[in-house]
């Protein structure tokens, strides 16, 4: 009697038939194609529909350049602020035990569950012409709402949790033994952080910064509420896209939008590479 | 053995006071004080004005639409997300890595870009809209368009929450079920699905929370007809443009309060569910 078979029945029983598998794979791919790939493809197709000259003109136009500059400035301010905060928050949450830690983690996530429009609204209420602090600032010649400071503030708010959220689980997983050993061997606090902690978290940190940056450059709702939409002055790239689109200038709208799409693709690629790098490191 | 209390454990590493102090200060200045300002502002609004602002038929319709469309979209996200997570985790197929990377697109793509792209795709002369138009279905500038945009925004939440749980399911459980005579469908429904349910609920919650307040990806495709396809965040924007700060604040507070209540209720249900299936 010969009982050894090529496919033992047990493994067949924990798998779908090959027809079923193919159907499920096909269904998943169709969903991905319809819901994710087509929207991506449309952007580039519309952007290049009128040819490269129109594309380049739309990006090089003065208002577009001003919008690009403002977006870069905003991200250059907002991202370091939240980077610094993310490291501080992850340091005390992951490396120490204290009461109210869970509450703190929940509060850090709060901006994620607030509508972008409401995120903008809270700053209008605070710094607007009829807000609590607005008149005081206006008296000192500082305008916040409908000006660049408001755009930066709203961006800081909506990108607030990104770095912290990436670092907290990573640093929790790593524990504190390595830092304790370094201190025992005579390293100072800063030295320990720079030479032990930072190398351990650098990939997670980079990923958090990338996500934070992508959102900072692409934020629409919150920035739209505080910006005032002054062309050349308080228009970020997403707001510029909106204006062009509403003027039925579709080719230009998609051309400028394609810049943000490229940024998103770079972010996704870097994320995939970082995940692969990380898996290879821990896998070996 | 008595476990040492967490709070009484001495800090061995430096910088706790500084890090926590800065964290609380920054959290307070950037998030808590501005949000508290919103709540305080509501207290200064006379009750009659608050009721008039929120109770207006146009506002009620918008709130109903925002929450209703978010619920529908999150439910569809659960089905589609489970399908995608299942295929990505269980079946090796060419292009799987690429497909996996693509899932995060809605996280990385700015909402306004997603909005104009979806609108073009589903408008009557777009790639999908043209086809659907011949079937008599119009997506762009209707409520269906809102749901489509919200599905797009919420999809990665479900996939990313379900994926690791699906990966960790041990094959032995399925083998036992098969040994005991369960068919594949039965194993899925009675062994795998209960293990996945908490993750599916979490994914639903995240997708829903994001969808309720979503603005950028929706306003282009929605058509924004009052009473029909106008979402609540747009109402806030319109009220702000009319310098109706009290009205905007009232609607915002109702949105926040309702969303938090719903999320809280989902949390409670999930905790009950956990207790029932995994006592202690």
């Amino acid at each position: 009697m010969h009982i050894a078979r090529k496919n033992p029945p047990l493994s067949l029983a924990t798998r779908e038939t090959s027809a079923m598998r193919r159907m499920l794979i096909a269904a998943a791919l169709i969903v991905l194609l319809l819901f994710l790939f087509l929207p991506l493809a449309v952007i580039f197709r519309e952007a290049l529909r009128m040819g490269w000259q129109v594309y380049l003109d739309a990006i090089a136009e003065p208002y577009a350049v001003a919008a690009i500059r403002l977006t870069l400035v905003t991200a250059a301010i907002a991202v370091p602020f939240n980077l610094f905060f993310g490291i501080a928050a992850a340091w005390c949450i992951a490396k120490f035990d204290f009461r109210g830690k869970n509450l703190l983690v929940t509060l850090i996530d709060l901006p994620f569950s607030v509508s972008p429009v409401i995120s903008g609204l809270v700053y209008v209420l605070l710094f607007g012409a009829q807000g609590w602090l607005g008149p005081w600032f206006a008296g000192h010649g500082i305008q916040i709402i409908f000006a660049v400071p408001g755009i930066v503030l709203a961006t800081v708010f909506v990108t607030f949790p990104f770095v912290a959220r990436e670092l907290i689980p990573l640093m929790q997983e790593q524990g504190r033994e390595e830092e304790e050993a370094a201190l025992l061997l005579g390293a100072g606090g800063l030295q320990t952080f720079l030479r032990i902690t930072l190398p351990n978290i650098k990939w997670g940190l980079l990923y958090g910064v990338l996500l934070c940056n992508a959102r900072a450059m692409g934020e629409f709702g919150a920035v739209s509420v505080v910006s005032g939409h002054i062309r050349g002055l308080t228009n970020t790239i997403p707001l510029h896209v909106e204006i062009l689109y509403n003027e039925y200038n579709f080719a230009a709208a998609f051309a400028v939008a394609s810049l943000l799409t490229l940024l998103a693709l770079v972010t996704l690629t870097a994320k995939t590479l970082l995940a692969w790098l990380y898996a290879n490191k821990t896998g070996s | 053995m008595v476990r040492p209390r967490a709070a009484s454990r001495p800090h061995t590493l430096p910088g706790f006071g500084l890090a926590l102090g800065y964290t609380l200060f920054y959290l307070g200045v950037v998030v808590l004080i501005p949000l508290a300002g919103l709540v305080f502002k509501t207290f200064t609004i006379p009750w009659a004005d608050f009721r008039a602002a929120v109770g207006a038929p146009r506002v009620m319709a918008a709130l109903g639409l925002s929450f209703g469309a978010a619920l529908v979209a999150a439910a569809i996200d659960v089905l589609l997300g489970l399908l995608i997570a299942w295929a990505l985790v269980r079946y090796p197929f060419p292009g799987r890595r690429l497909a996996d990377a693509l899932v995060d697109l809605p996280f990385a793509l700015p909402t306004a870009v997603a909005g104009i792209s979806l609108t073009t795709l589903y408008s009557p002369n777009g790639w999908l809209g043209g086809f659907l138009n011949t079937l008599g279905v119009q997506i762009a500038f209707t409520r269906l368009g809102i749901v489509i945009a919200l599905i797009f925004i919420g999809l990665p939440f479900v996939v990313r929450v379900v994926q690791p749980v699906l990966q960790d399911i041990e094959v032995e459980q399925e083998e036992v079920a098969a040994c005991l005579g369960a068919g594949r469908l039965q194993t899925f429904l009675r062994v795998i699905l209960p293990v996945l349910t908490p993750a599916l609920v979490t994914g639903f919650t995240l997708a829903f929370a994001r969808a309720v307040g979503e603005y950028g990806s929706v306003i282009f495709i929605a058509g924004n007809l009052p009473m029909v396809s106008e979402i609540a965040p747009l109402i806030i924007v319109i009220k702000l443009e009319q310098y109706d700060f009290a009205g905007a604040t009232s609607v915002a507070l109702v949105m926040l309060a309702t969303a938090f209540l719903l999320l809280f209720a989902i949390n409670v249900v999930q905790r009950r569910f956990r207790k029932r299936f995994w006592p202690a």
Side-chain angles (χ1 to χ4, degrees):
Chain A
M1 212 167 73
H2 199 70
I3 45 167
R5 286 196 295 188
K6 210 178 169 190
N7 286 318
L10 213 55
S11 83
L12 254 181
T14 56
R15 252 180 227 168
E16 290 73 42
T17 60
S18 78
M20 187 69 186
R21 307 176 76 169
R22 273 196 211 120
M23 219 183 73
L24 286 171
I25 293 173
L29 285 179
I30 288 172
V31 171
L32 284 172
L33 180 82
L34 288 183
F35 280 92
L36 298 178
F37 182 74
L38 281 186
L40 186 63
V42 160
I43 298 165
F44 291 104
R45 137 118 202 202
E46 293 294 319
L48 294 171
R49 191 176 211 159
M50 309 281 200
W52 280 99
Q53 199 51 50
V54 175
Y55 181 87
L56 293 175
D57 285 349
I59 293 170
E61 178 237 349
Y63 285 135
V65 172
I68 293 169
R69 192 179 301 132
L70 179 58
T71 292
L72 290 176
V73 167
T74 304
I77 300 171
V79 174
F81 265 103
N82 285 335
L83 166 67
F84 196 66
F85 160 75
I87 292 174
W91 179 259
C92 59
I93 287 169
K95 305 282 180 185
F96 300 93
D97 298 309
F98 56 94
R99 240 179 243 150
K101 189 148 98 169
N102 288 335
L103 179 68
L104 183 59
V105 173
T106 311
L107 289 178
I108 288 175
D109 271 348
L110 205 56
F112 275 158
S113 42
V114 174
S115 169
V117 169
I118 298 179
S119 314
L121 169 70
V122 295
Y123 286 107
V124 172
L125 292 179
L126 216 52
F127 296 113
Q130 299 169 3
W132 278 295
L133 300 175
W136 186 85
F137 277 102
H140 289 75
I142 304 170
Q143 199 187 357
I144 292 184
I145 298 304
F146 303 148
V148 176
I151 294 174
V152 173
L153 275 173
T155 306
V156 167
F157 183 96
V158 291
T159 58
F160 180 83
F162 278 101
V163 179
R165 222 187 193 200
E166 215 47 54
L167 287 185
I168 290 168
L170 182 65
M171 279 165 78
Q172 262 168 345
E173 197 185 306
Q174 285 168 350
R176 49 195 151 203
E177 282 82 7
E178 288 185 39
E179 281 86 358
E180 282 168 353
L183 287 167
L184 217 59
L185 291 170
L190 189 67
Q191 205 181 1
T192 306
F193 176 77
L194 289 177
R195 302 186 58 168
I196 305 291
T197 313
L198 206 56
N200 274 341
I201 60 169
K202 63 181 175 212
W203 299 123
L205 192 68
L206 184 58
Y207 180 42
V209 167
L210 278 171
L211 279 182
C212 186
N213 181 61
R215 180 71 194 266
M217 291 192 172
E219 177 52 29
F220 177 69
V223 169
S224 167
V225 168
V226 297
S227 137
H229 303 93
I230 307 162
R231 270 196 173 191
L233 281 181
T234 63
N235 258 351
T236 59
I237 303 179
L239 299 179
H240 188 60
V241 169
E242 183 202 18
I243 290 183
L244 290 172
Y245 187 86
N246 285 342
E247 286 172 348
Y248 302 101
N249 195 348
F250 295 135
F254 278 99
V256 179
S258 75
L259 295 179
L260 290 171
T261 312
L262 286 174
L263 174 74
L265 290 179
V266 168
T267 308
L268 288 185
T269 310
K271 189 229 152 161
T272 310
L273 286 179
L274 287 176
W276 180 75
L277 211 74
Y278 190 71
N280 270 12
K281 257 196 180 166
T282 51
S284 59
Chain B
M1 208 181 81
V2 183
R3 263 206 185 149
R5 271 209 355 257
S8 67
R9 194 179 161 148
H11 302 313
T12 44
L13 300 178
F16 175 68
L18 187 70
L20 185 66
Y22 179 71
T23 301
L24 292 177
F25 168 76
Y26 190 75
L27 177 72
V29 169
V30 174
V31 178
L32 297 183
I33 293 175
L35 277 179
L38 178 81
V39 178
F40 281 124
K41 171 82 187 172
T42 331
F43 286 129
T44 64
I45 302 168
W47 173 243
D49 292 3
F50 179 84
R51 227 179 42 184
V54 174
R58 186 175 166 190
V59 175
M60 290 302 272
L63 284 168
L65 176 62
S66 270
F67 281 92
L71 283 174
V72 172
I76 296 172
D77 276 331
V78 166
L79 294 177
L80 299 182
L82 176 60
L83 172 71
I84 292 170
W86 183 273
L88 287 177
V89 170
R90 295 259 161 149
Y91 309 137
F93 57 89
R96 184 166 71 158
R97 279 228 174 133
L98 197 68
D100 190 76
L102 192 64
V103 167
D104 277 334
L105 181 74
F107 283 161
L109 195 69
T111 53
V113 177
I116 62 170
S117 162
L118 288 171
T119 311
T120 307
L121 190 59
Y122 286 98
S123 72
N125 46 13
W127 285 343
L128 288 176
F131 169 71
L132 290 167
N133 224 19
T134 58
L135 301 176
V137 182
Q138 204 195 337
I139 301 244
F141 318 121
T142 69
R143 289 174 173 189
L144 271 179
I146 299 175
V147 173
I148 291 278
L150 296 181
I151 291 175
F152 174 84
I153 286 299
L155 191 58
F157 288 102
V158 180
V159 179
R160 290 303 180 227
V161 171
V162 171
Q163 244 175 343
V165 182
L166 202 52
Q167 234 144 21
D168 285 347
I169 294 182
E170 279 158 23
V171 75
E172 281 83 353
Q173 294 181 359
E174 291 167 58
E175 285 173 356
V176 168
C179 279
L180 293 172
R184 196 59 193 144
L185 183 67
Q186 212 177 359
T187 307
F188 175 77
L189 290 177
R190 307 193 58 169
V191 177
I192 301 174
L193 205 55
V195 179
L196 288 183
T197 304
L200 289 172
V201 173
T202 306
F204 174 87
T205 312
L206 292 171
F208 169 75
R210 175 72 201 267
V212 165
E214 182 54 28
Y215 177 69
S217 62
V218 176
I219 50 157
F220 295 100
I221 203 171
N224 306 326
L225 268 177
M227 303 297 295
V228 178
S229 56
E230 199 177 43
I231 53 168
L234 182 63
I235 294 275
I236 296 177
V237 170
I238 292 172
K239 284 191 182 294
L240 273 178
E241 278 168 2
Q242 297 163 345
Y243 299 101
D244 178 8
F245 294 110
T249 309
S250 308
V251 178
L253 196 83
V254 170
M255 271 186 74
L256 281 180
T258 317
F260 280 132
L261 274 180
L262 273 172
L263 295 181
F264 182 72
I266 291 172
N267 251 329
V268 169
V269 169
Q270 181 152 22
R271 220 169 275 172
R272 284 247 172 99
F273 180 87
R274 262 197 190 138
K275 264 191 198 147
R276 215 173 105 203
F277 281 85
W278 294 280

